[in-house]
């Protein structure tokens, strides 16, 4: 969440930022500390999103049920005047195409993925750990059902990947 709260506070024009996140994230001491540190000059509206991760993990990124659930989560943010919305869960960037259809074009979505990737690249470069040459296929590790992840991976990840269990 840290690479999202600060840019969201800077990006808002209305002074109202929405956060879509899991209940656990929103209740965490770390999240409260981030708001205290980076969002003192803006109003932050938090929206817990129970059930959203579970739908995404089934590979559902477009169904009417998902759309209805998501609409129920974004409506309060829009009604509160949010012009910037943080995607506060690693699963939620998969919903960006659907959100682009559902939200007015004036809404800015803040996704932490790019910022985290840049920071990781910087740290790996500092330690001379960056890969050179052609990258190997991505590896995905799961504590859940390997077959299920293999089946939904083409929906979530558009590149070849290897799925493994934590136990193997």
């Amino acid at each position: 969440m840290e690479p999202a709260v600060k840019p969201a506070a800077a990006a808002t024009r209305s002074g109202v930022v929405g956060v879509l996140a899991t209940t656990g994230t929103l209740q965490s001491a770390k999240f409260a500390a981030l708001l205290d540190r980076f969002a003192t000059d803006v109003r932050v509206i938090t929206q817990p999103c129970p059930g959203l991760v579970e739908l995404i993990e089934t590979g559902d990124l477009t169904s009417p049920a998902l759309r209805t659930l998501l609409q129920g989560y974004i409506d309060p943010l829009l009604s509160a005047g949010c012009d910037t919305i943080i995607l506060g869960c690693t699963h939620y960037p998969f919903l960006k195409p659907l959100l682009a259809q559902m939200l007015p074009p004036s809404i800015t979505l803040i996704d932490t993925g790019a910022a985290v990737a840049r920071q990781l690249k910087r740290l790996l470069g500092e330690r001379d750990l960056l890969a050179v040459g052609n990258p190997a296929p991505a590896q995905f590790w799961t504590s859940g059902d390997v077959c299920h992840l293999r089946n939904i991976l083409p929906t979530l990840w558009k590149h070849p990947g290897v799925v493994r269990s934590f136990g193997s």
Side-chain angles (χ1 to χ4, degrees):
M1 289 293 292
E2 187 165 342
V5 173
K6 187 176 179 180
T12 183
R13 299 167 310 284
S14 68
V16 185
V17 173
V19 180
L20 297 171
T22 64
T23 302
T25 294
L26 296 176
Q27 292 176 348
S28 72
K30 182 168 180 141
F31 180 67
L34 287 172
L35 294 183
D36 287 343
R37 184 170 173 202
F38 296 118
T40 55
D41 296 333
V42 297
R43 182 171 164 230
V44 177
I45 309 297
T46 58
Q47 178 60 60
C49 302
L52 209 48
V53 166
E54 291 79 7
L55 282 175
I56 295 166
E57 287 184 350
T58 68
D60 179 357
L61 304 179
T62 59
S63 75
L66 174 67
R67 185 180 284 269
T68 299
L69 185 64
L70 193 54
Q71 193 71 56
Y73 295 147
I74 61 176
D75 281 348
L77 301 180
L78 298 176
S79 295
C82 295
D83 66 349
T84 304
I85 297 176
I86 295 171
L87 302 179
C89 173
T90 57
H91 290 63
Y92 298 172
F94 292 115
L95 300 176
K96 284 169 72 172
L98 181 59
L99 285 165
Q101 295 171 16
M102 297 175 68
L103 293 169
S106 60
I107 302 297
T108 301
L109 289 177
I110 304 289
D111 168 15
T112 62
V116 170
R118 283 190 304 273
Q119 175 70 351
L120 176 60
K121 183 177 179 180
R122 186 186 67 75
L123 292 172
L124 290 172
E126 285 177 1
R127 292 164 176 83
D128 199 29
L129 295 172
L130 283 173
V132 291
N134 292 328
Q139 292 190 43
F140 297 88
W141 298 85
T142 181
S143 58
D145 183 339
V146 171
C147 290
H148 173 72
L149 182 54
R150 281 188 187 129
N151 288 336
I152 67 164
L153 190 60
T155 301
L156 302 175
W157 185 256
K158 306 301 182 203
H159 308 281
V162 177
V163 177
R164 300 183 191 281
S165 171
F166 279 123
S168 60

